[in-house]
Amino acid sequence: MDWTTWTTTSVIAGPGGVSTDEAGTLTGDITVHTTWRDGLAYLAVQHSSALDWYTMTGSPAHVPDEKSSRALHQAAVEAVRAGGGAVVPAAGTAPDSGTDSGTDSKEA
């Protein structure tokens, strides 16, 4: 079983925040976390100073490989920055740069 994770901290949500399945809309300073395993990317968000994690609306997403999962994570970070009740972006719409201005960590 292949798996990996990415976490980006201190993402300031744009107006309208990010939509979650459990808590509605989160706003402010957000941490975005993606876990990819077995062809699925699971995305969760939390207020950066909180303990509770919430499922980002639209998660999990079918993603064929680790590179695509990383791109989806970055697209989700950018969607949170844009706000508007951000949800998990559609696979294939993610940027391919693999860079962002938050703190990023990968575990495997």
Side-chain angles (χ1 to χ4, degrees), residues 2-105:
D2 290 333
W3 67 276
T4 191
T5 67
W6 292 276
T7 301
T8 304
T9 60
S10 299
V11 179
I12 304 303
V18 55
S19 294
T20 71
D21 291 349
E22 302 88 358
T25 302
L26 299 184
T27 60
D29 188 343
I30 303 294
T31 296
V32 180
H33 180 80
T34 302
T35 300
W36 175 77
R37 71 175 180 268
D38 298 331
L40 290 174
Y42 299 87
L43 289 95
V45 294
Q46 71 174 170
H47 284 112
S48 291
S49 61
L51 297 176
D52 296 324
W53 287 94
Y54 302 102
T55 304
M56 189 171 176
T57 300
S59 177
H62 291 278
V63 183
D65 54 40
E66 183 177 329
K67 181 179 178 184
S68 298
S69 178
R70 176 63 182 98
L72 181 64
H73 173 82
Q74 182 59 32
V77 168
E78 292 176 15
V80 171
R81 285 187 181 127
V87 298
V88 174
T93 62
D96 197 27
S97 66
T99 61
D100 64 53
S101 60
T103 301
D104 186 52
S105 62

